[in-house]
Amino acid sequence: MTPARRVDPRELWLLLATFLVAVAGLIYELIAATLSSYLLGDSVRQFSMVIGVFLSAMGGGAWASRFVADPVGGFIWVQILLGVVGGFLAPILFLTYASSGEVGVMLYSLLILVGLLSGMEIPLIARVLESIGAERFRFENVLSVDYIGALVASLAFPLLVVPQLGLMSASLAFGVLNLVVAGLSLWVFRQQVRMASVVFWAGALVVSLGGLWQSERLVAFTEAQLFEDEVILSETTPYQNITITRFKDRIRLFLNHSIQFDSLDEHRYHELLVHPAMASAPRRASVLILGGGDGLAAREVLKYGDVARVTLVDLDPRVTEIFAQFPDLTALNDNALNDPRLTVFNQDAWRFIEESRESFDVILIDLPDPKTITLSKLYTRQFYRLLSERLSAQGIIVTQAGSPLFARQAFWSIVETFESTEVPQLQGRGWRVTPYHGYVPSFGEWGFVMATTLAPRPIKFEQVTQLSYLTPEVWQAAQVFGADTARLAAQSNTMQSHALVQYYLDGWDYWFR
């Protein structure tokens, strides 16, 4: 009887190393994809490009690994280089963006380098296993462990890595993980390695640990370059980066580095969003706000004494928590998020509308611009058709619709989408639509679309005495469009076409790139 072969500890270490490097590699890919969507916009396009470029680079790395004469030394050097390049991926990209405002070339250069190095790992591990005489070695075992590592990373990234570490610290932490793998490999194969590898590894580990230790300062320094004012809060959630800045009494909110409001002029935006609908609604006992987690739209809604119930749906629970808890922010929204008449649901707007059976007199849509397909779906005929099922018989909908100047065709696409949506209350005809606009200094010329099943009603602004901007005269002017913002042909937005996304991107690119 043949005695059982004693398992070489080096085999077990290499399989464990396969798992660890797979986790680190996918984390780098996800960090790059997330940063590209934060800094470059259009998350679907950016995620797709990052994944494609990264996988292609991995293929190039796998092919290039054949030219590495010493697989043990090659694997260790790959881990050291990944620890440095992958570890400092996020800091370099943030600092590049902060200093120049451009990040595309640097992002894809680093992504290709990380992909090439990551692609070399599995072939080199397979060669090391064969070189140590792993008779029972099968290549599919290595691939299985690699795929398990990728699964763990994909689950951990949104649930643990981003909420607990943030992108900057996560990048550095997993760079240290690659260096730990390199260090343990140096010890396991100590009879085969050269002193130069040890010295370089030690230096890289010291630098990376130093970077991780100082990651909060790196974040603070980067934010100081990105934002003019003092950063009083900065967090990365599974959904977005939240930054709040302050200069004297002036407070600004940025989501993914895009301004959402400035306390100096936000009243213009929120009065335009809320009061045309609220002041003309035959009934306003029940109001739904989609988005608006800062509570500023809710503040305007709650100025009406006959409002009995406000439902606010915002995807990110951290946004509503911040604006319900911090004194400087609750002062801005008049503590609206803690009003007993208001209920917050932290979930996707589409899912809420599908699952809800409530009826609302006014629906206010204060969602981000339709710059991605994920957001564009909330500006489609299908979504507006769902909204009609949640609207009372005499109800009114208003959505923010972007800039009729900077993204003119996108604005009129939203108008066209409402008009072409078949509404059951109108026997299949489209909404009766009122497009309007106003000037908000932080955004420029900004547009809104009001849709109802009823004929337009006069707006009684005198019902609300706490308005700082909107007057009957302003409202009349808001419905007049100049020659450069007037209606032009545009397709309606559907789940099949998502024409709105390209209209939006083309418009802003024309003005600002």
Side-chain angles (χ1 to χ4, degrees):
M1 182 175 180
T2 305
R5 186 179 73 89
R6 179 175 175 272
V7 176
D8 189 333
R10 293 177 295 177
E11 294 180 39
L12 297 177
W13 162 245
L14 287 169
L15 289 176
L16 176 59
T18 300
F19 173 81
L20 296 175
V21 301
V23 170
L26 189 60
I27 292 293
Y28 297 142
E29 181 182 4
L30 292 171
I31 287 173
T34 303
L35 280 174
S36 68
S37 64
Y38 281 4
L39 303 178
L40 299 175
D42 191 3
S43 59
V44 173
R45 178 189 297 182
Q46 294 303 327
F47 262 81
S48 178
M49 290 180 64
V50 165
I51 292 170
V53 170
F54 187 80
L55 291 177
S56 297
M58 285 186 68
W63 175 82
S65 67
R66 70 179 66 189
F67 300 107
V68 178
D70 174 15
V72 171
F75 175 72
I76 291 171
W77 274 104
V78 164
Q79 296 310 300
I80 295 171
L81 293 174
L82 273 174
V84 175
V85 180
F88 284 90
L89 176 68
I92 290 172
L93 294 179
F94 273 124
L95 290 169
T96 300
Y97 184 76
S99 61
S100 68
E102 297 292 335
V103 75
V105 173
M106 180 63 73
L107 187 150
Y108 285 100
S109 298
L110 292 176
L111 182 67
I112 290 170
L113 182 53
V114 172
L116 287 169
L117 293 169
S118 298
M120 299 177 76
E121 291 174 318
I122 299 305
L124 290 174
I125 287 174
R127 287 172 57 190
V128 174
L129 281 166
E130 289 180 325
S131 70
I132 64 175
E135 297 174 4
R136 294 174 178 263
F137 161 71
R138 294 179 65 87
F139 188 65
E140 55 264 35
N141 293 340
V142 177
L143 289 180
S144 296
V145 174
D146 180 60
Y147 295 148
I148 292 170
L151 173 63
V152 170
S154 64
L155 295 175
F157 186 76
L159 299 177
L160 296 173
V161 175
V162 173
Q164 298 302 319
L165 294 176
L167 296 177
M168 188 85 79
S169 295
S171 182
L172 290 161
F174 283 90
V176 170
L177 176 62
N178 277 120
L179 291 169
V180 168
V181 171
L184 290 173
S185 297
L186 283 167
W187 183 80
V188 169
F189 297 99
R190 53 192 176 276
Q191 295 179 342
Q192 299 174 242
V193 298
R194 297 177 181 179
M195 185 55 64
S197 302
V198 177
V199 172
F200 196 90
W201 166 80
L205 183 62
V206 169
V207 171
S208 297
L209 287 172
L212 185 58
W213 178 49
Q214 296 292 326
S215 61
E216 290 301 320
R217 289 191 178 183
L218 279 172
V219 171
F221 175 79
T222 303
E223 288 172 345
Q225 305 303 310
L226 281 171
F227 303 104
E228 299 175 3
D229 304 333
E230 174 194 4
V231 176
I232 60 174
L233 183 145
S234 180
E235 295 185 16
T236 300
T237 75
Y239 305 102
Q240 59 202 339
N241 174 264
I242 305 169
T243 304
I244 299 174
T245 68
R246 177 173 57 200
F247 176 72
K248 297 182 179 179
D249 295 331
R250 183 179 190 175
I251 293 176
R252 300 182 192 179
L253 169 67
F254 297 84
L255 297 180
N256 295 342
H257 304 96
S258 296
I259 189 167
Q260 304 301 302
F261 75 75
D262 183 327
S263 60
L264 283 184
D265 60 19
E266 57 80 12
H267 63 278
R268 285 178 164 242
Y269 171 91
H270 290 102
E271 288 182 12
L272 284 166
L273 174 71
V274 172
H275 294 292
M278 292 294 291
S280 61
R283 187 172 182 272
R284 46 178 175 254
S286 178
V287 178
L288 172 65
I289 303 173
L290 300 178
D294 51 36
L296 298 174
R299 175 197 66 199
E300 298 301 315
V301 168
L302 292 168
K303 290 178 179 179
Y304 294 83
D306 53 350
V307 171
R309 187 174 75 257
V310 179
T311 302
L312 189 148
V313 180
D314 193 281
L315 182 62
D316 193 340
R318 189 57 184 143
V319 173
T320 50
E321 288 172 6
I322 289 169
F323 281 88
Q325 295 173 0
F326 286 75
D328 286 348
L329 304 178
T330 57
L332 274 180
N333 62 33
D334 291 343
N335 207 29
L337 297 181
N338 295 308
D339 191 291
R341 292 174 287 173
L342 185 140
T343 303
V344 173
F345 291 88
N346 292 121
Q347 67 180 97
D348 176 73
W350 186 296
R351 183 175 179 184
F352 176 86
I353 294 299
E354 276 191 321
E355 296 177 352
S356 176
R357 293 297 175 262
E358 290 188 67
S359 178
F360 300 97
D361 300 313
V362 177
I363 298 176
L364 302 171
I365 305 174
D366 189 16
L367 294 167
D369 292 345
K371 62 180 69 176
T372 69
I373 291 176
T374 303
L375 292 169
S376 170
K377 74 176 185 179
L378 302 175
Y379 293 81
T380 57
R381 284 204 306 244
Q382 290 84 349
F383 187 62
Y384 294 155
R385 176 66 173 75
L386 286 175
L387 288 179
S388 71
E389 298 174 6
R390 303 275 64 80
L391 199 64
S392 62
Q394 298 180 320
I396 298 177
I397 295 175
V398 172
T399 183
Q400 80 87 10
S403 174
L405 179 63
F406 300 135
R408 181 181 174 188
Q409 202 162 16
F411 176 82
W412 292 108
S413 172
I414 294 172
V415 173
E416 175 68 26
T417 303
F418 268 111
E419 291 178 342
S420 62
T421 299
E422 295 181 356
V423 183
Q425 297 96 314
L426 295 174
Q427 290 77 49
R429 297 195 305 276
W431 299 94
R432 293 186 171 98
V433 175
T434 302
Y436 61 98
H437 63 106
Y439 181 69
V440 183
S442 293
F443 303 151
E445 200 67 33
W446 213 255
F448 305 83
V449 178
M450 183 163 60
T452 179
T453 59
L454 304 172
R457 291 168 52 92
I459 297 179
K460 301 176 181 178
F461 290 109
E462 64 273 11
Q463 296 178 23
V464 185
T465 59
Q466 305 171 51
L467 298 182
S468 302
Y469 169 64
L470 198 55
T471 65
E473 293 76 19
V474 169
W475 171 241
Q476 290 302 316
Q479 299 171 70
V480 178
F481 289 83
D484 58 353
T485 57
R487 187 160 189 168
L488 76 173
Q491 297 179 34
S492 62
N493 195 44
T494 70
M495 292 291 288
Q496 290 74 37
S497 69
H498 287 288
L500 182 58
V501 176
Q502 200 58 51
Y503 288 149
Y504 177 90
L505 295 174
D506 288 346
W508 284 93
D509 283 349
Y510 175 79
W511 279 88
F512 296 104
R513 292 196 178 178

